[in-house]
PDB file of all heavy atoms in Angstrom:
ATOM      1  N   ARG C 213      51.221-111.379 -57.556  1.00  0.00           N
ATOM      2  CA  ARG C 213      51.270-112.226 -56.371  1.00  0.00           C
ATOM      3  C   ARG C 213      52.104-111.512 -55.301  1.00  0.00           C
ATOM      4  O   ARG C 213      53.016-110.715 -55.504  1.00  0.00           O
ATOM      5  CB  ARG C 213      51.757-113.692 -56.715  1.00  0.00           C
ATOM      6  CG  ARG C 213      53.289-113.711 -56.929  1.00  0.00           C
ATOM      7  CD  ARG C 213      53.547-113.449 -58.389  1.00  0.00           C
ATOM      8  NE  ARG C 213      54.845-114.031 -58.817  1.00  0.00           N
ATOM      9  CZ  ARG C 213      55.419-113.836 -59.901  1.00  0.00           C
ATOM     10  NH1 ARG C 213      55.090-112.970 -60.839  1.00  0.00           N
ATOM     11  NH2 ARG C 213      56.548-114.487 -60.276  1.00  0.00           N
ATOM     12  N   ILE C 214      51.885-111.867 -54.019  1.00  0.00           N
ATOM     13  CA  ILE C 214      52.686-111.362 -52.880  1.00  0.00           C
ATOM     14  C   ILE C 214      53.912-112.175 -52.596  1.00  0.00           C
ATOM     15  O   ILE C 214      53.904-113.407 -52.623  1.00  0.00           O
ATOM     16  CB  ILE C 214      51.757-111.330 -51.608  1.00  0.00           C
ATOM     17  CG1 ILE C 214      50.491-110.474 -51.917  1.00  0.00           C
ATOM     18  CG2 ILE C 214      52.589-110.846 -50.528  1.00  0.00           C
ATOM     19  CD1 ILE C 214      49.578-110.568 -50.754  1.00  0.00           C
ATOM     20  N   ARG C 215      55.130-111.612 -52.582  1.00  0.00           N
ATOM     21  CA  ARG C 215      56.332-112.164 -52.335  1.00  0.00           C
ATOM     22  C   ARG C 215      57.166-111.347 -51.459  1.00  0.00           C
ATOM     23  O   ARG C 215      57.708-110.377 -51.940  1.00  0.00           O
ATOM     24  CB  ARG C 215      57.146-112.527 -53.586  1.00  0.00           C
ATOM     25  CG  ARG C 215      56.693-113.629 -54.439  1.00  0.00           C
ATOM     26  CD  ARG C 215      57.629-114.769 -54.310  1.00  0.00           C
ATOM     27  NE  ARG C 215      57.607-115.685 -55.456  1.00  0.00           N
ATOM     28  CZ  ARG C 215      56.534-116.349 -56.005  1.00  0.00           C
ATOM     29  NH1 ARG C 215      55.550-116.242 -55.184  1.00  0.00           N
ATOM     30  NH2 ARG C 215      56.658-116.916 -57.017  1.00  0.00           N
ATOM     31  N   HIS C 216      57.081-111.702 -50.262  1.00  0.00           N
ATOM     32  CA  HIS C 216      58.037-110.852 -49.322  1.00  0.00           C
ATOM     33  C   HIS C 216      59.451-111.282 -49.615  1.00  0.00           C
ATOM     34  O   HIS C 216      59.976-112.051 -48.811  1.00  0.00           O
ATOM     35  CB  HIS C 216      57.598-110.967 -47.939  1.00  0.00           C
ATOM     36  CG  HIS C 216      56.137-110.257 -47.672  1.00  0.00           C
ATOM     37  ND1 HIS C 216      56.056-108.933 -47.371  1.00  0.00           N
ATOM     38  CD2 HIS C 216      54.975-110.694 -47.749  1.00  0.00           C
ATOM     39  CE1 HIS C 216      54.965-108.588 -47.209  1.00  0.00           C
ATOM     40  NE2 HIS C 216      54.141-109.678 -47.512  1.00  0.00           N
ATOM     41  N   ALA C 217      60.052-110.964 -50.671  1.00  0.00           N
ATOM     42  CA  ALA C 217      61.382-111.301 -50.931  1.00  0.00           C
ATOM     43  C   ALA C 217      62.150-110.187 -51.553  1.00  0.00           C
ATOM     44  O   ALA C 217      61.595-109.410 -52.304  1.00  0.00           O
ATOM     45  CB  ALA C 217      61.425-112.469 -51.823  1.00  0.00           C
ATOM     46  N   ALA C 218      63.429-110.026 -51.304  1.00  0.00           N
ATOM     47  CA  ALA C 218      64.222-109.097 -51.837  1.00  0.00           C
ATOM     48  C   ALA C 218      64.560-109.308 -53.174  1.00  0.00           C
ATOM     49  O   ALA C 218      64.809-110.409 -53.596  1.00  0.00           O
ATOM     50  CB  ALA C 218      65.514-108.892 -50.891  1.00  0.00           C
ATOM     51  N   HIS C 219      64.306-108.303 -54.139  1.00  0.00           N
ATOM     52  CA  HIS C 219      64.671-108.428 -55.478  1.00  0.00           C
ATOM     53  C   HIS C 219      66.117-107.888 -55.723  1.00  0.00           C
ATOM     54  O   HIS C 219      66.455-106.882 -55.033  1.00  0.00           O
ATOM     55  CB  HIS C 219      63.638-107.561 -56.332  1.00  0.00           C
ATOM     56  CG  HIS C 219      63.699-107.667 -57.674  1.00  0.00           C
ATOM     57  ND1 HIS C 219      64.697-107.056 -58.467  1.00  0.00           N
ATOM     58  CD2 HIS C 219      63.028-108.397 -58.610  1.00  0.00           C
ATOM     59  CE1 HIS C 219      64.477-107.384 -59.737  1.00  0.00           C
ATOM     60  NE2 HIS C 219      63.520-108.182 -59.931  1.00  0.00           N
ATOM     61  N   TYR C 220      66.790-108.530 -56.585  1.00  0.00           N
ATOM     62  CA  TYR C 220      68.192-108.131 -56.797  1.00  0.00           C
ATOM     63  C   TYR C 220      68.306-106.800 -57.345  1.00  0.00           C
ATOM     64  O   TYR C 220      69.545-106.151 -57.171  1.00  0.00           O
ATOM     65  CB  TYR C 220      68.831-109.067 -57.755  1.00  0.00           C
ATOM     66  CG  TYR C 220      68.668-108.950 -59.082  1.00  0.00           C
ATOM     67  CD1 TYR C 220      69.477-108.200 -60.049  1.00  0.00           C
ATOM     68  CD2 TYR C 220      67.417-109.400 -59.663  1.00  0.00           C
ATOM     69  CE1 TYR C 220      69.155-107.958 -61.316  1.00  0.00           C
ATOM     70  CE2 TYR C 220      67.091-109.124 -61.089  1.00  0.00           C
ATOM     71  CZ  TYR C 220      68.034-108.456 -61.888  1.00  0.00           C
ATOM     72  OH  TYR C 220      67.649-108.333 -63.139  1.00  0.00           O
ATOM     73  N   ARG C 221      67.360-106.104 -57.782  1.00  0.00           N
ATOM     74  CA  ARG C 221      67.364-104.750 -58.249  1.00  0.00           C
ATOM     75  C   ARG C 221      66.664-103.686 -57.449  1.00  0.00           C
ATOM     76  O   ARG C 221      67.093-102.623 -57.276  1.00  0.00           O
ATOM     77  CB  ARG C 221      67.060-104.616 -59.721  1.00  0.00           C
ATOM     78  CG  ARG C 221      68.141-105.269 -60.636  1.00  0.00           C
ATOM     79  CD  ARG C 221      67.835-104.980 -62.173  1.00  0.00           C
ATOM     80  NE  ARG C 221      68.373-103.691 -62.551  1.00  0.00           N
ATOM     81  CZ  ARG C 221      67.572-102.620 -63.025  1.00  0.00           C
ATOM     82  NH1 ARG C 221      66.257-102.813 -62.927  1.00  0.00           N
ATOM     83  NH2 ARG C 221      68.050-101.546 -63.265  1.00  0.00           N
ATOM     84  N   THR C 222      65.357-104.075 -57.130  1.00  0.00           N
ATOM     85  CA  THR C 222      64.545-103.213 -56.411  1.00  0.00           C
ATOM     86  C   THR C 222      64.557-103.371 -54.952  1.00  0.00           C
ATOM     87  O   THR C 222      63.888-102.703 -54.199  1.00  0.00           O
ATOM     88  CB  THR C 222      63.071-103.393 -56.858  1.00  0.00           C
ATOM     89  OG1 THR C 222      62.616-104.757 -56.609  1.00  0.00           O
ATOM     90  CG2 THR C 222      63.101-103.059 -58.365  1.00  0.00           C
ATOM     91  N   GLY C 223      65.394-104.394 -54.405  1.00  0.00           N
ATOM     92  CA  GLY C 223      65.476-104.636 -52.926  1.00  0.00           C
ATOM     93  C   GLY C 223      64.232-104.883 -52.376  1.00  0.00           C
ATOM     94  O   GLY C 223      63.433-105.848 -52.777  1.00  0.00           O
ATOM     95  N   ALA C 224      63.839-104.218 -51.369  1.00  0.00           N
ATOM     96  CA  ALA C 224      62.664-104.431 -50.547  1.00  0.00           C
ATOM     97  C   ALA C 224      61.519-103.502 -50.932  1.00  0.00           C
ATOM     98  O   ALA C 224      60.498-103.379 -50.231  1.00  0.00           O
ATOM     99  CB  ALA C 224      62.958-104.383 -49.031  1.00  0.00           C
TER     100      ALA C 224
END
Side-chain angles (χ1 to χ4, degrees):
Chain C
R213 73 279 204 184
I214 301 171
R215 280 255 207 297
H216 290 273
H219 186 278
Y220 76 100
R221 291 188 80 243
T222 61

